[in-house]
Amino acid sequence: MPNDESPASSGEFKEYGKAKLTINGSSIESNVYMNSTQDELFIDTGSLRKDGQRLTGYPVNVLDNGLKNTATCSSSITYIKGEGEKGILLYRGFPVESLSSSCSYLEVAYLLFTGNLPNVEKLRDFSRDVKENSMLSEQFSNLCDIFPRETHPMTLLSSLITSLSAQYDNIDLKNEEERLRIYKVALGLMPTLVAMVYKFSIGEPYVSPSIDLSYVANFLNMMFWSSLNENEPNPILVNAMEQILLLHADHEQNASTSAMRMVGSTDAQPFSCLQAALSALSGPLHGGANEACLKMLEDIGDQNNIDDFIIKVKKKQARLMGFGHRVYHTKDPRAVIMREICHEVLRVQKLDDPIFSLALELEKRALQDEYFISRKLYPNVDFYSGITLRALGIPSEMFTAIFALGRVAGWFSHWNEMHQDAKKVLCRPRQHYTGPGTRNPNL
Protein backbone atom coordinates (compact mmCIF):
# COMPACT_ATOMS: atom_id res chain seq x y z
CA MET A 1 0.00 0.00 0.00
CA PRO A 2 1.52 3.39 -0.96
CA ASN A 3 1.87 5.78 1.97
CA ASP A 4 0.71 9.35 2.21
CA GLU A 5 4.16 10.73 1.45
CA SER A 6 3.43 10.03 -2.24
CA PRO A 7 2.56 13.33 -3.95
CA ALA A 8 -0.99 13.82 -5.18
CA SER A 9 -1.34 13.88 -8.95
CA SER A 10 -2.13 17.47 -9.91
CA GLY A 11 -0.62 18.85 -13.09
CA GLU A 12 -0.04 22.49 -13.98
CA PHE A 13 -2.74 24.71 -15.40
CA LYS A 14 -0.92 25.17 -18.74
CA GLU A 15 -1.87 27.80 -21.29
CA TYR A 16 -1.94 26.24 -24.75
CA GLY A 17 -2.75 29.24 -26.92
CA LYS A 18 -5.60 31.49 -27.99
CA ALA A 19 -9.02 30.83 -29.53
CA LYS A 20 -10.65 33.46 -31.70
CA LEU A 21 -14.41 33.79 -32.13
CA THR A 22 -15.44 36.00 -35.04
CA ILE A 23 -18.95 37.46 -35.19
CA ASN A 24 -19.79 39.70 -38.16
CA GLY A 25 -16.19 40.82 -38.46
CA SER A 26 -15.63 41.42 -34.75
CA SER A 27 -13.29 38.98 -32.99
CA ILE A 28 -13.15 37.88 -29.38
CA GLU A 29 -10.05 36.14 -28.05
CA SER A 30 -10.07 33.58 -25.24
CA ASN A 31 -7.29 31.70 -23.52
CA VAL A 32 -6.97 27.97 -24.30
CA TYR A 33 -5.66 25.60 -21.64
CA MET A 34 -4.35 22.04 -21.76
CA ASN A 35 -5.38 19.57 -19.07
CA SER A 36 -2.70 17.95 -16.91
CA THR A 37 -2.75 14.69 -18.88
CA GLN A 38 -2.21 16.67 -22.10
CA ASP A 39 -5.04 15.11 -24.08
CA GLU A 40 -7.82 17.74 -23.95
CA LEU A 41 -8.10 21.47 -24.62
CA PHE A 42 -10.37 23.91 -22.79
CA ILE A 43 -11.42 27.35 -24.00
CA ASP A 44 -11.81 29.79 -21.12
CA THR A 45 -15.08 31.62 -21.83
CA GLY A 46 -15.19 33.41 -18.48
CA SER A 47 -14.98 36.90 -20.07
CA LEU A 48 -16.88 36.01 -23.25
CA ARG A 49 -20.11 37.73 -22.25
CA LYS A 50 -18.40 40.98 -21.28
CA ASP A 51 -16.04 41.00 -24.27
CA GLY A 52 -18.93 40.25 -26.60
CA GLN A 53 -20.90 43.20 -25.24
CA ARG A 54 -17.94 45.49 -25.80
CA LEU A 55 -17.22 44.36 -29.37
CA THR A 56 -20.63 43.47 -30.83
CA GLY A 57 -23.05 45.39 -28.64
CA TYR A 58 -24.58 42.15 -27.37
CA PRO A 59 -23.61 39.89 -24.47
CA VAL A 60 -22.23 36.67 -25.98
CA ASN A 61 -22.94 33.29 -24.34
CA VAL A 62 -22.23 29.64 -25.13
CA LEU A 63 -25.21 27.39 -25.88
CA ASP A 64 -24.34 23.82 -24.80
CA ASN A 65 -27.40 21.71 -24.01
CA GLY A 66 -26.69 19.36 -21.12
CA LEU A 67 -23.21 20.89 -20.61
CA LYS A 68 -21.80 18.12 -22.80
CA ASN A 69 -18.82 20.24 -23.87
CA THR A 70 -18.56 22.62 -20.92
CA ALA A 71 -16.27 22.25 -17.91
CA THR A 72 -17.93 23.94 -14.94
CA CYS A 73 -14.87 23.62 -12.71
CA SER A 74 -11.22 22.61 -12.51
CA SER A 75 -10.59 19.46 -10.47
CA SER A 76 -7.66 17.21 -9.54
CA ILE A 77 -9.77 14.38 -8.09
CA THR A 78 -10.77 12.04 -10.91
CA TYR A 79 -9.69 11.61 -14.51
CA ILE A 80 -11.68 9.69 -17.13
CA LYS A 81 -10.71 8.86 -20.68
CA GLY A 82 -13.40 7.10 -22.65
CA GLU A 83 -11.65 6.71 -26.00
CA GLY A 84 -8.88 4.41 -27.18
CA GLU A 85 -8.38 0.68 -26.75
CA LYS A 86 -9.67 0.72 -23.19
CA GLY A 87 -11.29 3.18 -20.85
CA ILE A 88 -9.19 4.87 -18.17
CA LEU A 89 -10.32 5.88 -14.69
CA LEU A 90 -7.85 7.48 -12.27
CA TYR A 91 -8.53 8.46 -8.64
CA ARG A 92 -5.98 11.18 -7.80
CA GLY A 93 -3.69 9.72 -10.47
CA PHE A 94 -4.00 6.10 -9.35
CA PRO A 95 -5.58 3.66 -11.87
CA VAL A 96 -8.76 2.23 -10.40
CA GLU A 97 -7.46 -1.26 -11.23
CA SER A 98 -4.46 -0.85 -8.89
CA LEU A 99 -6.61 0.58 -6.09
CA SER A 100 -9.15 -2.21 -6.50
CA SER A 101 -6.48 -4.86 -6.01
CA SER A 102 -4.68 -3.28 -3.06
CA CYS A 103 -6.92 -0.85 -1.15
CA SER A 104 -10.06 -0.82 0.95
CA TYR A 105 -12.95 1.55 0.35
CA LEU A 106 -11.96 3.70 3.34
CA GLU A 107 -8.42 4.04 1.98
CA VAL A 108 -9.87 5.28 -1.31
CA ALA A 109 -12.25 7.58 0.58
CA TYR A 110 -9.24 9.09 2.37
CA LEU A 111 -7.38 9.39 -0.94
CA LEU A 112 -10.19 11.18 -2.74
CA PHE A 113 -10.66 13.77 0.01
CA THR A 114 -7.02 14.46 0.94
CA GLY A 115 -5.18 13.72 -2.30
CA ASN A 116 -2.96 10.95 -0.92
CA LEU A 117 -3.30 7.40 0.34
CA PRO A 118 -3.03 7.05 4.13
CA ASN A 119 -0.20 5.32 5.92
CA VAL A 120 -1.10 2.66 8.50
CA GLU A 121 -1.40 5.14 11.38
CA LYS A 122 -3.53 7.64 9.47
CA LEU A 123 -5.80 4.90 8.16
CA ARG A 124 -6.29 3.58 11.69
CA ASP A 125 -7.21 7.05 13.00
CA PHE A 126 -9.45 7.79 10.03
CA SER A 127 -11.28 4.45 10.36
CA ARG A 128 -11.74 5.00 14.10
CA ASP A 129 -13.21 8.47 13.57
CA VAL A 130 -15.59 7.20 10.90
CA LYS A 131 -16.80 4.36 13.15
CA GLU A 132 -17.33 6.75 16.06
CA ASN A 133 -19.74 8.70 13.84
CA SER A 134 -21.83 5.68 12.83
CA MET A 135 -24.31 5.69 15.72
CA LEU A 136 -27.79 7.23 15.44
CA SER A 137 -29.87 8.54 18.30
CA GLU A 138 -33.04 6.59 19.10
CA GLN A 139 -35.10 9.66 18.30
CA PHE A 140 -33.59 9.79 14.80
CA SER A 141 -34.02 6.09 14.15
CA ASN A 142 -37.76 6.43 14.78
CA LEU A 143 -38.16 8.88 11.88
CA CYS A 144 -38.78 6.03 9.45
CA ASP A 145 -42.03 5.22 11.20
CA ILE A 146 -43.80 8.28 9.78
CA PHE A 147 -43.41 6.88 6.22
CA PRO A 148 -45.49 4.17 4.53
CA ARG A 149 -43.69 0.82 4.49
CA GLU A 150 -43.73 0.75 0.66
CA THR A 151 -41.86 4.07 0.33
CA HIS A 152 -39.01 3.73 -2.16
CA PRO A 153 -35.69 3.44 -0.28
CA MET A 154 -34.17 6.42 -2.10
CA THR A 155 -37.10 8.63 -1.12
CA LEU A 156 -36.75 7.55 2.49
CA LEU A 157 -32.94 7.90 2.49
CA SER A 158 -33.20 11.38 0.99
CA SER A 159 -35.67 12.40 3.70
CA LEU A 160 -33.41 11.10 6.46
CA ILE A 161 -30.44 13.00 5.03
CA THR A 162 -32.54 16.16 5.00
CA SER A 163 -33.29 15.58 8.69
CA LEU A 164 -29.54 15.53 9.40
CA SER A 165 -29.41 19.15 8.27
CA ALA A 166 -31.05 20.13 11.54
CA GLN A 167 -28.12 18.66 13.50
CA TYR A 168 -25.35 20.15 11.34
CA ASP A 169 -26.66 23.60 10.55
CA ASN A 170 -23.83 25.80 11.86
CA ILE A 171 -20.81 24.61 9.92
CA ASP A 172 -17.82 26.86 9.27
CA LEU A 173 -17.38 26.03 5.58
CA LYS A 174 -14.06 27.90 5.42
CA ASN A 175 -12.53 25.71 8.13
CA GLU A 176 -10.69 22.75 6.58
CA GLU A 177 -10.76 20.68 9.78
CA GLU A 178 -14.49 21.26 10.11
CA ARG A 179 -15.08 20.06 6.54
CA LEU A 180 -13.03 16.92 7.27
CA ARG A 181 -15.08 16.32 10.42
CA ILE A 182 -18.32 16.52 8.45
CA TYR A 183 -16.88 14.13 5.86
CA LYS A 184 -16.22 11.55 8.59
CA VAL A 185 -19.75 12.06 9.88
CA ALA A 186 -21.19 11.42 6.42
CA LEU A 187 -19.04 8.32 5.88
CA GLY A 188 -19.98 7.01 9.31
CA LEU A 189 -23.71 7.61 9.09
CA MET A 190 -24.41 6.52 5.51
CA PRO A 191 -24.01 2.74 6.05
CA THR A 192 -26.21 3.00 9.15
CA LEU A 193 -28.89 4.97 7.31
CA VAL A 194 -28.89 2.74 4.22
CA ALA A 195 -29.14 -0.40 6.37
CA MET A 196 -31.90 1.19 8.47
CA VAL A 197 -33.88 2.06 5.34
CA TYR A 198 -33.58 -1.57 4.18
CA LYS A 199 -34.64 -2.98 7.54
CA PHE A 200 -37.65 -0.66 7.60
CA SER A 201 -38.68 -1.72 4.08
CA ILE A 202 -38.80 -5.40 5.07
CA GLY A 203 -40.39 -4.79 8.48
CA GLU A 204 -37.41 -5.82 10.59
CA PRO A 205 -35.91 -3.89 13.53
CA TYR A 206 -32.96 -1.55 13.07
CA VAL A 207 -29.56 -3.11 13.87
CA SER A 208 -26.94 -0.95 15.61
CA PRO A 209 -23.42 -0.62 14.12
CA SER A 210 -20.61 -2.83 15.41
CA ILE A 211 -17.25 -1.20 16.09
CA ASP A 212 -15.57 -4.62 15.99
CA LEU A 213 -16.17 -5.16 12.27
CA SER A 214 -14.65 -3.51 9.22
CA TYR A 215 -16.56 -0.72 7.49
CA VAL A 216 -18.07 -3.02 4.84
CA ALA A 217 -18.56 -6.07 7.07
CA ASN A 218 -20.40 -3.85 9.55
CA PHE A 219 -22.69 -2.62 6.79
CA LEU A 220 -23.54 -6.15 5.67
CA ASN A 221 -24.11 -7.15 9.30
CA MET A 222 -26.58 -4.28 9.76
CA MET A 223 -28.33 -5.34 6.57
CA PHE A 224 -28.54 -9.10 7.17
CA TRP A 225 -28.07 -9.64 10.91
CA SER A 226 -31.12 -11.87 11.23
CA SER A 227 -29.97 -14.20 8.43
CA LEU A 228 -26.32 -14.60 9.48
CA ASN A 229 -25.13 -17.75 11.22
CA GLU A 230 -21.66 -16.37 11.93
CA ASN A 231 -20.38 -13.18 13.53
CA GLU A 232 -18.95 -11.93 10.27
CA PRO A 233 -20.12 -12.31 6.66
CA ASN A 234 -18.31 -14.47 4.10
CA PRO A 235 -15.06 -12.58 3.19
CA ILE A 236 -15.74 -13.12 -0.53
CA LEU A 237 -19.09 -11.37 -0.16
CA VAL A 238 -17.52 -8.61 1.92
CA ASN A 239 -14.90 -8.10 -0.81
CA ALA A 240 -17.64 -7.95 -3.45
CA MET A 241 -19.41 -5.15 -1.57
CA GLU A 242 -16.05 -3.44 -0.94
CA GLN A 243 -15.41 -3.43 -4.68
CA ILE A 244 -18.88 -2.11 -5.49
CA LEU A 245 -18.37 0.84 -3.14
CA LEU A 246 -14.80 1.48 -4.31
CA LEU A 247 -15.68 1.38 -8.01
CA HIS A 248 -18.58 3.77 -7.46
CA ALA A 249 -16.63 6.15 -5.18
CA ASP A 250 -16.29 8.88 -7.81
CA HIS A 251 -16.82 9.43 -11.51
CA GLU A 252 -15.96 13.03 -12.29
CA GLN A 253 -18.62 15.67 -13.07
CA ASN A 254 -21.71 13.51 -13.47
CA ALA A 255 -25.22 14.81 -12.73
CA SER A 256 -25.18 14.10 -8.99
CA THR A 257 -21.65 15.43 -8.40
CA SER A 258 -22.52 18.54 -10.38
CA ALA A 259 -25.63 18.93 -8.21
CA MET A 260 -23.46 18.64 -5.08
CA ARG A 261 -21.14 21.35 -6.39
CA MET A 262 -23.93 23.61 -7.67
CA VAL A 263 -25.84 23.60 -4.39
CA GLY A 264 -22.54 23.83 -2.52
CA SER A 265 -21.66 26.97 -4.45
CA THR A 266 -24.49 28.74 -2.57
CA ASP A 267 -22.73 27.93 0.74
CA ALA A 268 -25.64 25.70 1.70
CA GLN A 269 -24.84 23.43 4.64
CA PRO A 270 -23.34 20.07 3.66
CA PHE A 271 -26.29 17.72 4.17
CA SER A 272 -28.50 19.95 2.02
CA CYS A 273 -25.87 19.51 -0.70
CA LEU A 274 -25.87 15.74 -0.12
CA GLN A 275 -29.66 15.64 -0.40
CA ALA A 276 -29.44 17.40 -3.78
CA ALA A 277 -26.88 14.87 -4.98
CA LEU A 278 -29.10 11.99 -3.82
CA SER A 279 -32.05 13.42 -5.72
CA ALA A 280 -30.02 13.65 -8.91
CA LEU A 281 -28.71 10.11 -8.42
CA SER A 282 -32.19 8.65 -8.04
CA GLY A 283 -33.07 8.96 -11.73
CA PRO A 284 -32.97 5.81 -13.92
CA LEU A 285 -30.56 7.51 -16.35
CA HIS A 286 -28.02 7.94 -13.53
CA GLY A 287 -27.89 5.96 -10.28
CA GLY A 288 -31.01 3.96 -11.07
CA ALA A 289 -29.36 2.32 -14.07
CA ASN A 290 -28.50 -0.98 -12.37
CA GLU A 291 -32.04 -1.22 -11.00
CA ALA A 292 -33.34 -0.58 -14.53
CA CYS A 293 -30.97 -3.27 -15.82
CA LEU A 294 -32.47 -5.89 -13.50
CA LYS A 295 -35.97 -4.82 -14.51
CA MET A 296 -34.97 -5.32 -18.16
CA LEU A 297 -33.80 -8.85 -17.39
CA GLU A 298 -37.03 -9.59 -15.53
CA ASP A 299 -39.02 -8.28 -18.50
CA ILE A 300 -37.08 -10.54 -20.90
CA GLY A 301 -37.95 -13.36 -18.54
CA ASP A 302 -36.39 -16.31 -20.32
CA GLN A 303 -33.34 -17.11 -22.45
CA ASN A 304 -35.68 -18.12 -25.29
CA ASN A 305 -36.81 -14.49 -25.49
CA ILE A 306 -33.32 -13.00 -25.93
CA ASP A 307 -33.31 -13.09 -29.75
CA ASP A 308 -36.65 -11.27 -29.95
CA PHE A 309 -35.45 -8.71 -27.42
CA ILE A 310 -32.23 -8.03 -29.37
CA ILE A 311 -34.28 -7.51 -32.54
CA LYS A 312 -36.40 -4.94 -30.68
CA VAL A 313 -33.24 -3.19 -29.48
CA LYS A 314 -31.93 -2.95 -33.04
CA LYS A 315 -35.27 -1.53 -34.16
CA LYS A 316 -35.09 0.95 -31.26
CA GLN A 317 -38.24 -0.54 -29.79
CA ALA A 318 -36.43 -1.48 -26.57
CA ARG A 319 -33.37 -0.28 -24.64
CA LEU A 320 -30.44 -2.52 -23.76
CA MET A 321 -29.82 -1.33 -20.20
CA GLY A 322 -26.38 -1.92 -18.71
CA PHE A 323 -24.57 -1.67 -22.05
CA GLY A 324 -22.69 1.36 -23.33
CA HIS A 325 -21.86 4.51 -21.37
CA ARG A 326 -22.20 8.27 -21.84
CA VAL A 327 -18.47 8.75 -21.20
CA TYR A 328 -16.82 5.45 -22.16
CA HIS A 329 -16.81 4.75 -25.90
CA THR A 330 -14.87 1.57 -25.24
CA LYS A 331 -14.81 -0.84 -22.29
CA ASP A 332 -15.71 0.60 -18.89
CA PRO A 333 -12.64 -0.23 -16.72
CA ARG A 334 -14.91 -0.67 -13.69
CA ALA A 335 -16.96 -3.25 -15.58
CA VAL A 336 -13.84 -5.34 -16.30
CA ILE A 337 -13.19 -5.57 -12.55
CA MET A 338 -16.84 -6.01 -11.62
CA ARG A 339 -17.31 -8.84 -14.10
CA GLU A 340 -14.76 -10.99 -12.25
CA ILE A 341 -16.32 -10.14 -8.89
CA CYS A 342 -19.78 -10.92 -10.24
CA HIS A 343 -18.80 -14.36 -11.52
CA GLU A 344 -16.99 -15.14 -8.25
CA VAL A 345 -20.04 -14.25 -6.16
CA LEU A 346 -22.28 -16.35 -8.39
CA ARG A 347 -19.94 -19.32 -7.91
CA VAL A 348 -19.88 -18.89 -4.13
CA GLN A 349 -23.59 -18.31 -3.65
CA LYS A 350 -24.68 -21.18 -5.92
CA LEU A 351 -28.13 -19.65 -6.26
CA ASP A 352 -30.77 -21.21 -8.48
CA ASP A 353 -31.94 -17.93 -9.99
CA PRO A 354 -32.84 -17.95 -13.71
CA ILE A 355 -32.06 -14.23 -13.91
CA PHE A 356 -28.34 -14.99 -13.52
CA SER A 357 -28.16 -17.49 -16.36
CA LEU A 358 -30.30 -15.14 -18.47
CA ALA A 359 -27.92 -12.24 -17.78
CA LEU A 360 -24.83 -14.25 -18.67
CA GLU A 361 -26.43 -15.49 -21.89
CA LEU A 362 -27.45 -11.96 -22.85
CA GLU A 363 -23.89 -10.79 -22.15
CA LYS A 364 -22.49 -13.58 -24.35
CA ARG A 365 -24.76 -12.88 -27.31
CA ALA A 366 -24.34 -9.11 -27.17
CA LEU A 367 -20.54 -9.41 -27.09
CA GLN A 368 -20.67 -11.62 -30.21
CA ASP A 369 -23.15 -9.48 -32.14
CA GLU A 370 -21.60 -7.20 -34.76
CA TYR A 371 -24.36 -4.62 -34.22
CA PHE A 372 -23.23 -4.02 -30.62
CA ILE A 373 -19.53 -4.53 -31.34
CA SER A 374 -19.51 -1.91 -34.10
CA ARG A 375 -21.25 0.56 -31.80
CA LYS A 376 -18.90 -0.30 -28.91
CA LEU A 377 -21.82 -1.20 -26.68
CA TYR A 378 -19.99 -3.19 -24.04
CA PRO A 379 -21.46 -4.13 -20.65
CA ASN A 380 -20.88 -1.32 -18.16
CA VAL A 381 -20.44 -1.45 -14.39
CA ASP A 382 -24.21 -1.24 -13.81
CA PHE A 383 -24.80 -4.54 -15.63
CA TYR A 384 -22.47 -6.52 -13.37
CA SER A 385 -23.06 -4.62 -10.12
CA GLY A 386 -26.82 -5.15 -10.41
CA ILE A 387 -26.38 -8.91 -10.83
CA THR A 388 -23.85 -9.00 -7.98
CA LEU A 389 -26.10 -7.07 -5.60
CA ARG A 390 -28.98 -9.42 -6.40
CA ALA A 391 -26.71 -12.39 -5.66
CA LEU A 392 -25.83 -10.80 -2.32
CA GLY A 393 -29.52 -10.83 -1.45
CA ILE A 394 -30.15 -7.12 -1.93
CA PRO A 395 -33.45 -6.24 -3.66
CA SER A 396 -33.28 -4.02 -6.75
CA GLU A 397 -35.08 -1.18 -4.96
CA MET A 398 -31.98 -0.80 -2.76
CA PHE A 399 -29.45 -0.66 -5.61
CA THR A 400 -29.36 3.13 -5.94
CA ALA A 401 -28.99 3.54 -2.17
CA ILE A 402 -25.94 1.24 -2.31
CA PHE A 403 -24.60 3.38 -5.17
CA ALA A 404 -25.07 6.46 -2.98
CA LEU A 405 -23.22 4.79 -0.12
CA GLY A 406 -20.14 4.41 -2.34
CA ARG A 407 -20.46 7.83 -4.00
CA VAL A 408 -20.51 9.80 -0.73
CA ALA A 409 -16.70 9.77 -0.87
CA GLY A 410 -16.64 11.45 -4.26
CA TRP A 411 -19.44 13.91 -3.53
CA PHE A 412 -17.81 15.26 -0.39
CA SER A 413 -14.36 15.30 -1.97
CA HIS A 414 -15.68 17.56 -4.73
CA TRP A 415 -17.56 19.66 -2.16
CA ASN A 416 -14.33 20.07 -0.20
CA GLU A 417 -12.29 20.89 -3.30
CA MET A 418 -14.84 23.53 -4.30
CA HIS A 419 -14.52 25.24 -0.91
CA GLN A 420 -10.72 25.13 -1.20
CA ASP A 421 -10.83 26.95 -4.54
CA ALA A 422 -9.98 30.65 -4.28
CA LYS A 423 -11.97 31.18 -7.51
CA LYS A 424 -15.17 29.66 -6.08
CA VAL A 425 -18.25 31.53 -7.30
CA LEU A 426 -21.99 31.07 -7.10
CA CYS A 427 -22.96 28.77 -9.95
CA ARG A 428 -25.42 30.58 -12.20
CA PRO A 429 -25.77 29.16 -15.77
CA ARG A 430 -27.24 31.22 -18.59
CA GLN A 431 -30.14 30.19 -20.82
CA HIS A 432 -31.01 30.60 -24.48
CA TYR A 433 -34.42 32.27 -24.23
CA THR A 434 -36.91 31.16 -26.91
CA GLY A 435 -40.16 32.59 -25.54
CA PRO A 436 -42.11 35.67 -26.68
CA GLY A 437 -40.87 39.21 -26.16
CA THR A 438 -42.73 41.74 -24.02
CA ARG A 439 -46.47 41.24 -24.33
CA ASN A 440 -49.38 43.54 -23.48
CA PRO A 441 -51.87 41.78 -21.18
CA ASN A 442 -54.59 44.28 -22.17
CA LEU A 443 -54.66 43.22 -25.85
Side-chain angles (χ1 to χ4, degrees):
M1 179 184 73
N3 61 41
D4 81 335
E5 298 304 316
S6 306
S9 175
S10 55
E12 298 178 23
F13 201 56
K14 296 180 179 179
E15 187 169 334
Y16 181 82
K18 301 287 185 180
K20 182 180 291 186
L21 174 65
T22 302
I23 306 174
N24 294 336
S26 298
S27 295
I28 303 168
E29 276 198 348
S30 298
N31 291 330
V32 179
Y33 296 98
M34 174 80 77
N35 68 346
S36 60
T37 49
Q38 299 187 24
D39 55 8
E40 288 192 63
L41 298 177
F42 294 82
I43 301 172
D44 185 353
T45 60
S47 63
L48 181 62
R49 183 177 172 85
K50 180 178 67 175
D51 291 343
Q53 176 77 59
R54 177 173 51 84
L55 292 176
T56 70
Y58 299 98
V60 176
N61 303 285
V62 175
L63 176 61
D64 182 15
N65 288 330
L67 300 177
K68 292 181 291 186
N69 307 290
T70 299
T72 58
C73 65
S74 298
S75 178
S76 62
I77 297 173
T78 299
Y79 169 73
I80 299 173
K81 185 173 182 179
E83 296 81 21
E85 293 184 6
K86 66 175 184 177
I88 296 173
L89 173 60
L90 307 179
Y91 291 164
R92 295 289 192 177
F94 292 100
V96 71
E97 296 90 341
S98 66
L99 295 173
S100 171
S101 63
S102 61
C103 295
S104 68
Y105 171 72
L106 280 188
E107 287 175 272
V108 168
Y110 184 98
L111 166 70
L112 290 172
F113 196 87
T114 67
N116 294 291
L117 285 164
N119 58 28
V120 173
E121 181 181 354
K122 290 194 174 184
L123 178 61
R124 182 195 64 219
D125 294 344
F126 183 70
S127 300
R128 181 201 62 225
D129 293 345
V130 169
K131 286 182 178 181
E132 288 178 352
N133 283 293
S134 64
M135 298 296 295
L136 285 171
S137 66
E138 184 177 349
Q139 180 183 22
F140 192 89
S141 65
N142 290 332
L143 282 174
C144 288
D145 294 333
I146 68 175
F147 292 89
R149 190 72 67 181
E150 63 273 13
T151 302
H152 193 283
M154 278 300 286
T155 301
L156 184 51
L157 180 61
S158 182
S159 299
L160 294 176
I161 291 297
T162 300
S163 300
L164 284 176
S165 300
Q167 299 182 38
Y168 300 95
D169 196 31
N170 297 311
I171 305 299
D172 183 0
L173 297 174
K174 295 181 180 180
N175 187 307
E176 188 171 349
E177 288 300 315
E178 185 77 342
R179 294 197 305 270
L180 177 58
R181 181 181 75 85
I182 289 299
Y183 181 49
K184 293 173 182 176
V185 169
L187 286 173
L189 286 179
M190 274 298 283
T192 308
L193 291 173
V194 172
M196 186 172 73
V197 165
Y198 172 66
K199 286 295 193 182
F200 175 78
S201 71
I202 61 175
E204 292 186 1
Y206 159 65
V207 176
S208 297
S210 170
I211 61 171
D212 298 325
L213 297 176
S214 71
Y215 186 82
V216 174
N218 172 57
F219 171 62
L220 290 178
N221 240 27
M222 289 190 292
M223 290 278 287
F224 302 119
W225 180 272
S226 61
S227 62
L228 288 177
N229 297 317
E230 301 174 323
N231 291 328
E232 192 165 346
N234 185 318
I236 292 178
L237 306 186
V238 173
N239 179 62
M241 180 58 71
E242 190 101 51
Q243 294 298 316
I244 288 173
L245 299 186
L246 188 154
L247 295 174
H248 286 86
D250 193 50
H251 211 238
E252 207 224 40
Q253 301 305 313
N254 48 75
S256 57
T257 300
S258 296
M260 184 87 176
R261 277 185 174 262
M262 181 171 286
V263 176
S265 77
T266 71
D267 283 349
Q269 63 91 10
F271 288 101
S272 293
C273 302
L274 178 57
Q275 198 278 334
L278 282 168
S279 296
L281 186 73
S282 65
L285 296 183
H286 189 10
N290 49 14
E291 183 178 348
C293 179
L294 259 293
K295 185 179 185 307
M296 174 197 70
L297 293 170
E298 290 169 352
D299 289 343
I300 295 172
D302 188 274
Q303 293 187 42
N304 294 326
N305 299 327
I306 291 178
D307 288 340
D308 288 341
F309 175 74
I310 288 178
I311 290 172
K312 289 181 180 178
V313 170
K314 293 177 180 179
K315 291 182 177 179
K316 303 190 184 307
Q317 296 173 352
R319 291 192 65 182
L320 183 59
M321 302 301 296
F323 283 70
H325 195 277
R326 173 76 173 267
V327 175
Y328 298 109
H329 304 297
T330 182
K331 291 184 178 180
D332 180 345
R334 302 169 302 167
V336 175
I337 300 167
M338 202 67 240
R339 184 180 189 275
E340 293 184 13
I341 298 295
C342 177
H343 283 254
E344 184 177 27
V345 169
L346 292 178
R347 284 195 298 271
V348 170
Q349 294 292 74
K350 298 179 182 178
L351 298 172
D352 184 20
D353 187 337
I355 286 293
F356 299 144
S357 56
L358 170 61
L360 297 180
E361 183 62 25
L362 177 61
E363 172 201 38
K364 176 182 175 182
R365 295 196 200 179
L367 289 174
Q368 293 174 350
D369 193 307
E370 183 58 33
Y371 177 89
F372 301 111
I373 295 172
S374 64
R375 289 164 175 76
K376 298 181 179 179
L377 294 176
Y378 302 105
N380 58 40
V381 70
D382 298 313
F383 183 80
Y384 297 114
S385 63
I387 300 168
T388 305
L389 288 170
R390 183 182 175 102
L392 290 172
I394 297 173
S396 59
E397 294 79 11
M398 286 295 301
F399 288 0
T400 312
I402 303 294
F403 190 152
L405 174 56
R407 188 55 58 87
V408 162
W411 286 335
F412 273 91
S413 296
H414 283 275
W415 170 80
N416 181 59
E417 182 181 60
M418 177 194 64
H419 282 293
Q420 289 175 323
D421 190 350
K423 296 181 180 179
K424 171 184 171 290
V425 295
L426 173 66
C427 190
R428 205 306 187 178
R430 296 288 173 178
Q431 68 168 13
H432 174 213
Y433 178 67
T434 60
T438 304
R439 303 166 77 180
N440 188 340
N442 297 318
L443 294 180

